Amino acid sequence: MKIAAISDIHGNIAALDAVLADIAKDGVDLIVNLGDICSGALFPAATAARLMPLGLPTIRGNHERQLGELPPERLGLSDRHAAATLDADHRAWLASLPTSLRLDGGVLLVHGTPASDVDYFLDTVTADGARPASEAEVEARAAGADAAVILCGHTHLQRAMTLGDGRLIVNPGSVGLPVYDDDRPFLHRMESGSPHARYAVIDDRGGRWSADFRKVAYDWEQAACDADANGRADWARALRTGYC
């Protein structure tokens, strides 16, 4: 089976369309969506409208959960923009998404880790910033997850690790936002270093799963202008450069 994994679109419809067009050239069997779909500085409603008819296996991320659980005054800027833009059908679709999903062939979809939609799977944050996680750290986070492949998102960085028991864990990177910063549990930056849209293709050809990371050019200058027009200079810089 050949699977294209997309994640962290964050309402960037131009990046999504470029990635879907790139995937269409590759003859994949399935596209899966790992969450954080609409919240951002761009086009939440258009993104939901594009994805809903496709019926892709899709899970919710932390931003979908926040939209459903928090009152407007407790939402951050990106969630607030989504809440003001999405219609009732869009919100109902997002609310219906599962937190995880198991597919045939031993493939498990999660947003962060199997236990949390905000924990990092393949990265670790310390007082010195973020770094790739060690195998021991990843083993602990994967404990109890009986799957040949675990697909995760959330960190926006393309990573893969094969554990000692053969399980493959893959983060396809972000379709729509190449960089962000956060202060939990310490201030850190997750920077991809370029403005490209990213995804991954996972293939079990030959009986062993492997991951191929892809990056796709699109009109990120227009996306940055759209972010600027919505009062989000932080997003505009991120979209143009891949750096905070």
Side-chain angles (χ1 to χ4, degrees):
M1 177 179 285
K2 194 173 186 180
I3 300 172
I6 62 175
S7 190
D8 296 278
I9 301 162
H10 285 285
N12 190 338
I13 186 68
L16 173 61
D17 282 345
V19 163
L20 292 176
D22 199 66
I23 291 171
K25 298 184 245 177
D26 206 13
V28 303
D29 300 300
L30 187 66
I31 304 171
V32 300
N33 180 354
L34 305 175
D36 280 4
I37 299 162
C38 295
S39 290
L42 298 172
F43 303 105
T47 300
R50 178 81 80 253
L51 289 167
M52 287 169 63
L54 300 181
L56 308 178
T58 300
I59 59 172
R60 76 181 190 188
N62 57 295
H63 282 280
E64 283 77 50
R65 174 178 54 78
Q66 289 158 196
L67 278 171
E69 293 180 356
L70 298 179
E73 63 271 16
R74 291 186 57 196
L75 295 175
L77 288 176
S78 292
D79 287 338
R80 208 175 306 159
H81 180 59
T85 306
L86 296 168
D87 69 20
D89 287 342
H90 301 148
R91 294 182 70 113
W93 174 62
L94 295 176
S96 74
L97 299 175
T99 57
S100 64
L101 194 60
R102 187 175 294 273
L103 306 179
D104 292 342
V107 178
L108 176 64
L109 313 184
V110 301
H111 183 69
T113 69
S116 167
D117 62 13
V118 293
D119 288 345
Y120 293 178
F121 212 146
L122 296 173
D123 290 84
T124 295
V125 177
T126 71
D128 296 322
R131 59 165 173 80
S134 69
E135 185 170 349
E137 289 169 331
V138 176
E139 288 270 12
R141 296 162 191 169
D146 180 18
V149 180
I150 305 173
L151 302 179
C152 63
H154 190 50
T155 65
H156 297 207
L157 299 182
Q158 292 179 319
R159 298 253 193 262
M161 181 181 290
T162 301
L163 301 181
D165 60 9
R167 285 179 295 173
L168 175 64
I169 301 168
V170 180
N171 187 320
S174 172
V175 170
L177 183 60
V179 55
Y180 68 92
D181 57 16
D182 200 352
D183 60 1
R184 296 172 294 179
F186 305 100
L187 185 64
H188 62 281
R189 295 176 174 179
M190 308 302 281
E191 296 176 313
S192 67
S194 83
H196 294 79
R198 287 169 166 82
Y199 73 101
V201 173
I202 301 91
D203 194 351
D204 69 347
R205 184 172 47 195
R208 185 176 181 86
W209 288 96
S210 62
D212 180 22
F213 292 119
R214 311 285 174 86
K215 62 181 185 179
V216 181
Y218 74 102
D219 190 354
W220 50 71
E221 177 59 31
Q222 182 59 57
C225 290
D226 293 332
D228 263 330
N230 287 331
R232 295 296 301 273
D234 56 336
W235 263 67
R237 175 173 172 76
L239 292 167
R240 285 188 175 103
T241 68
Y243 291 97
C244 290

